[in-house]
Amino acid sequence: MDIRIRPRLIPSATGTKDLQMVEIVLRVLTRPDMTMLQTIFRNLGTDYDERVLPSITNEVLKAVVAQYNAEELLTKRDQVSEKIRLSLLKRAKDFNLIIEDVAITHLQFGVEFSRAIEQKQVAEQEAERAKYVVLKADQERKAAIVKAEGESESARLISEATRQAGTGLIELRRIEAAKEIAAALGKSRNVSYLPSGNNMLFGINSNS
């Protein structure tokens, strides 16, 4: 009698809480209880796993899956798998079998539900994209308002300063600009500054 751990893939078609059909394939690792080998052989024979596992696995799957709706089978897959494992572990003890591990290897819904899930995912992606576009436009609008307010305040301050200082401020700005130009030209080897009454600048050819 083979007492090694045996892996089996057991398919099952069952219904969810919201009446969606789902195809599940369960991978089960099982072995016989070493202390009950004679009982197992007498009641089930050497092909004990073949005679017991498919029926009790389908029984457990139908009972557990019926507690969840279709979407929960996807979002709570680990929880569902653990609940199946615990239920199958308890059921297998009735036949002196020990369940070592249980895992859902395949889970597929009907065509209509799969299409509905795909459409929902596309709609959610489009909604997120639209939300991003709206948020970006709102940020750009706020930035434009801040910039316009800053420019308006700057113009107001200049206007106020000009009103209070009269033409003196404008003349001061003109003199400062002239100084900056003279300083820049003074650094050039081809320009000479003649401090006459007209404050004239002459270009001098360095090659002559």
Side-chain angles (χ1 to χ4, degrees), residues 186-199:
K187 294 178 182 180
S188 175
R189 297 175 58 188
N190 297 328
V191 175
S192 176
Y193 176 71
L194 299 179
S196 63
N198 294 326
N199 293 333

Side-chain angles (χ1 to χ4, degrees), residues 85-120:
R85 187 187 72 82
L86 293 176
S87 297
L88 192 58
L89 187 68
K90 182 178 179 180
R91 189 73 178 88
K93 283 184 179 180
D94 296 337
F95 300 91
N96 302 306
L97 301 180
I98 297 175
I99 303 297
E100 294 289 346
D101 188 44
V102 175
I104 298 174
T105 61
H106 178 75
L107 191 153
Q108 183 175 349
F109 294 96
V111 176
E112 292 184 2
F113 185 75
S114 298
R115 187 181 298 114
I117 291 178
E118 182 178 352
Q119 291 173 347
K120 180 180 179 182

Side-chain angles (χ1 to χ4, degrees), residues 9-64:
L9 292 176
I10 303 174
S12 178
T14 185
T16 62
K17 186 177 181 180
D18 53 351
L19 305 180
Q20 295 294 333
M21 291 304 298
V22 57
E23 294 180 3
I24 298 178
V25 176
L26 209 62
R27 181 175 181 268
V28 182
L29 299 181
T30 185
R31 64 178 176 83
D33 185 343
M34 298 291 291
T35 64
M36 302 296 292
L37 291 179
Q38 290 185 357
T39 301
I40 294 172
F41 180 76
R42 183 173 60 252
N43 295 335
L44 303 174
T46 56
D47 59 343
Y48 57 90
D49 56 341
E50 178 66 31
R51 297 181 63 181
V52 172
L53 278 181
S55 60
I56 65 174
T57 299
N58 274 282
E59 174 188 323
V60 168
L61 277 174
K62 291 181 183 300
V64 173

Side-chain angles (χ1 to χ4, degrees), residues 155-201:
R156 188 189 68 79
L157 292 175
I158 293 174
S159 177
E160 181 67 18
T162 302
R163 185 183 64 79
Q164 294 178 0
T167 59
L169 179 60
I170 297 176
E171 183 64 19
L172 177 61
R173 294 289 175 86
R174 187 185 67 78
I175 293 173
E176 290 176 348
K179 285 182 178 180
E180 291 177 0
I181 294 173
L185 293 175
K187 294 178 182 180
S188 175
R189 297 175 58 188
N190 297 328
V191 175
S192 176
Y193 176 71
L194 299 179
S196 63
N198 294 326
N199 293 333
M200 300 181 64
L201 297 173

